Amino acid sequence: MSSDASFPDRFLWGAATAAYQIEGAAAEDGKGPSIWDTFSHTPGKVHHGDTGDVACDSYHRYPEDIELLKRLGVGAYRFSVSWPRIRPEGRGEVNSKGLDYYSRLVDALLEAGIAPVPTLYHWDLPQALQDAFGGWAGRDIAEAFASYAGVVAEALGDRVHRWITLNEPWVVSNVGYRWGRHAPGHSEAGEAVAANHHLLLAHGLSVQAIRAASPAPAEVGITLNLGVSRPTSPEAADMAAELEARHNGVYLGPLFSGEYPSRLSAEWSPALVPGLVHDGDMAVIAESIDFLGVNFYFPGYVGVAAADGELRAGERPLEGGFVDVRPAGLPVTAMDWLVEPTSLHELLTRVVAPAVGDLPVYITENGSSWYDYVNQDGEVVDLERQSYLRGHLGAVASAIADGVNVRGYFAWSLLDNFEWAEGYAKRFGLTFIDFATQRRILKRSGEYYAQVTRKNALPE
Ligand code: GBH
């Protein structure tokens, strides 16, 4: 991979956040409770008992956050819209104060010359719909989501021209419904498979709803967290392929070819839930989209477990006699995630391009967590994050050089924020937040990113 990479003209530089992770104001201006309000207030679910009640207080401090975006020199901001702010009960009455908040945010962004790129679902489902339908496990959720998407598109579509329907359906269905580490905290494979199908259906219906409701032409896409699984020996190749089918094929197949992949083990196959897929669903899911959003953080390595079943150094248990392996020599972040930029190049060239062809691709999240601190000079010198950023941007540039149609990159994240089950203990921001005072400090990595966006190239 070349090191002095530059990017195509009009490459879109951005930064990303999500509503529950930054907004706070959890019960303000008519907002209804979301499943993350419930989950984070349930003892034992989130590290340290942290909640998003206040978070970065971005609901009130968004003008300061837009100043940070200006310092970064980005042309776009990916934020998410909180469904329970718009519809406190999930359905029915629209809360105009909720819409007003996003309308003010959009106006302020446009004033600053920054394109708003809202995501309509970044995990904060109205609690009322969890109660009414079993959340994403119930089929009625798909229509409810499309209806809400139409409400937002109608209100903001004169000024918002690029929409993301869902963030990371893999995480929603599996971390939320299969393993229970995210809201709603369920552990039931059938629910996970059902949730996954209903997320895809909701996506397709919302693409139609956004286009129908928007007063101006709209580009619509979805954000997936796709993965590469590398076998460490030939015996692990089949398991690696299965893991990629669960992460990638289960989305890329339905979205781009109108069918689920044929290889998916029983616990992951839509056949697990009889009657789940109705006639016509796959055509709705395959509704054409204008771009694909890709979130990427780390690669996976799969190996065969030791004969005695004992874990060797760096291994974590997987299923069926396989283990997740961390090869010696690769750095790991504060999340214990591997750092290996070439895996992003591999993902884009081997997985993404063959599925999407020429469709524009945006990296909608990429970033890393480290043990940041404010030094005696009042600075945060996060050289590890800067190095991660540089490496991954180099991988994006080389994928573009290899013909992948990547049109933009959004750093995760603009701000340190509520890192879901990790609470505030894990920091991903280009900006440090002192959560006691809400003071924002642009980190060294943020200064570096500002140079990248201004040069449209990687500085030495
Ligand atoms: C993204 O998810 C999210 O979109 C974003 O909100 C988040 O802040 C960011 O990444 C950083 O994490 O081992 O089963 O408990 C990335 C995907 C989500 C990866 C949850 C691993 C823990 C899964 N990830 N996660 S589990």
Side-chain angles (χ1 to χ4, degrees):
M1 292 195 314
S2 87
S3 60
D4 55 7
S6 63
F7 290 83
D9 288 347
R10 304 181 54 209
F11 190 79
L12 188 64
W13 294 102
T17 62
Y20 190 71
Q21 296 183 270
I22 67 159
E23 286 178 356
E28 216 167 301
D29 287 345
K31 177 184 164 291
S34 80
I35 57 173
W36 269 96
D37 291 304
T38 307
F39 192 76
S40 67
H41 281 271
T42 305
K45 298 300 185 189
V46 174
H47 175 80
H48 193 255
D50 292 345
T51 74
D53 289 0
V54 178
C56 310
D57 195 29
S58 213
Y59 190 76
H60 301 109
R61 292 171 197 260
Y62 69 88
E64 252 184 272
D65 297 338
I66 293 174
E67 288 306 314
L68 290 164
L69 291 164
K70 284 169 45 184
R71 280 179 74 183
L72 293 177
V74 294
Y77 179 43
R78 175 178 179 238
F79 58 94
S80 82
V81 177
S82 161
W83 183 349
R85 268 193 212 291
I86 307 300
R87 279 196 160 137
E89 295 291 321
R91 310 175 267 186
E93 208 188 326
V94 172
N95 174 33
S96 61
K97 285 185 172 171
L99 277 177
D100 289 347
Y101 167 66
Y102 295 105
S103 187
R104 288 195 301 279
L105 174 63
V106 163
D107 284 343
L109 286 165
L110 293 173
E111 177 90 3
I114 298 166
V117 183
T119 301
L120 288 162
Y121 187 72
H122 201 128
W123 308 354
D124 47 353
L125 188 76
Q127 181 63 46
L129 298 185
Q130 190 66 47
D131 301 339
F133 306 144
W136 292 102
R139 187 174 170 94
D140 289 343
I141 197 78
E143 288 282 358
F145 177 70
S147 168
Y148 145 73
V151 167
V152 181
E154 189 181 340
L156 305 181
D158 55 335
R159 290 155 288 157
V160 168
H161 304 302
R162 198 171 281 137
W163 300 90
I164 296 169
T165 57
L166 305 175
N167 182 67
E168 300 189 347
W170 184 92
V171 173
V172 176
S173 51
N174 296 306
V175 188
Y177 291 82
R178 184 184 297 273
W179 299 313
R181 289 192 283 264
H182 280 183
H186 295 189
S187 303
E188 179 59 60
E191 280 194 29
V193 165
N196 205 62
H197 184 69
H198 299 143
L199 282 154
L200 284 166
L201 188 61
H203 157 78
L205 291 172
S206 71
V207 173
Q208 298 169 348
I210 293 165
R211 288 187 181 136
S214 179
E219 288 182 16
V220 191
I222 183 172
T223 281
L224 305 174
N225 58 310
L226 300 173
V228 294
S229 273
R230 295 175 167 169
T232 57
S233 69
E235 298 72 43
D238 203 54
M239 187 64 203
E242 167 71 21
L243 292 177
E244 288 200 1
R246 295 175 186 179
H247 258 97
N248 308 334
V250 84
Y251 305 103
L252 298 173
L255 290 167
F256 297 106
S257 317
E259 47 188 33
Y260 280 104
S262 48
R263 81 156 307 140
L264 272 177
S265 56
E267 297 272 285
W268 291 75
S269 163
L272 184 66
V273 182
L276 177 64
V277 182
H278 293 200
D279 284 349
D281 284 4
M282 299 313 288
V284 172
I285 294 168
E287 181 67 58
S288 78
I289 53 178
D290 302 293
F291 63 90
L292 177 68
V294 175
N295 291 355
F296 182 81
Y297 290 89
F298 58 91
Y301 282 83
V302 195
V304 176
D308 61 5
E310 289 290 313
L311 293 175
R312 292 163 292 216
E315 290 184 350
R316 288 191 279 190
L318 220 52
E319 62 198 60
F322 294 96
V323 283
D324 183 69
V325 179
R326 8 287 315 285
L330 289 179
V332 292
T333 70
M335 295 289 281
D336 203 23
W337 294 350
L338 292 170
V339 177
E340 191 191 42
T342 53
S343 56
L344 176 54
H345 174 267
E346 178 180 343
L347 178 74
L348 291 168
T349 52
R350 178 170 67 75
V351 175
V352 174
V356 308
D358 253 355
L359 191 78
V361 172
Y362 291 88
I363 304 300
T364 43
E365 285 179 30
N366 173 243
S368 57
S369 178
W370 303 95
Y371 294 104
D372 301 319
Y373 61 94
V374 183
N375 71 16
Q376 292 175 36
D377 300 322
E379 295 170 345
V380 180
V381 186
D382 57 336
L383 299 176
E384 303 96 335
R385 185 175 289 98
Q386 177 173 324
S387 158
Y388 180 99
L389 186 58
R390 193 189 193 295
H392 286 78
L393 289 174
V396 172
S398 73
I400 294 170
D402 288 340
V404 187
N405 190 11
V406 184
R407 297 284 187 89
Y409 175 95
F410 292 74
W412 185 270
S413 176
L414 174 64
L415 309 168
D416 290 341
N417 60 47
F418 177 79
E419 178 51 30
W420 307 112
E422 309 294 332
Y424 297 100
K426 297 292 189 291
R427 296 175 176 271
F428 276 89
L430 299 176
T431 307
F432 185 92
I433 306 251
D434 176 346
F435 289 101
T437 63
Q438 292 296 342
R439 185 157 166 243
R440 281 121 163 90
I441 302 171
L442 198 66
K443 300 178 192 175
R444 179 69 66 83
S445 60
E447 311 275 4
Y448 173 77
Y449 192 51
Q451 289 178 43
V452 173
T453 65
R454 294 202 164 88
K455 287 183 67 167
N456 202 36
L458 300 183
E460 276 324 299

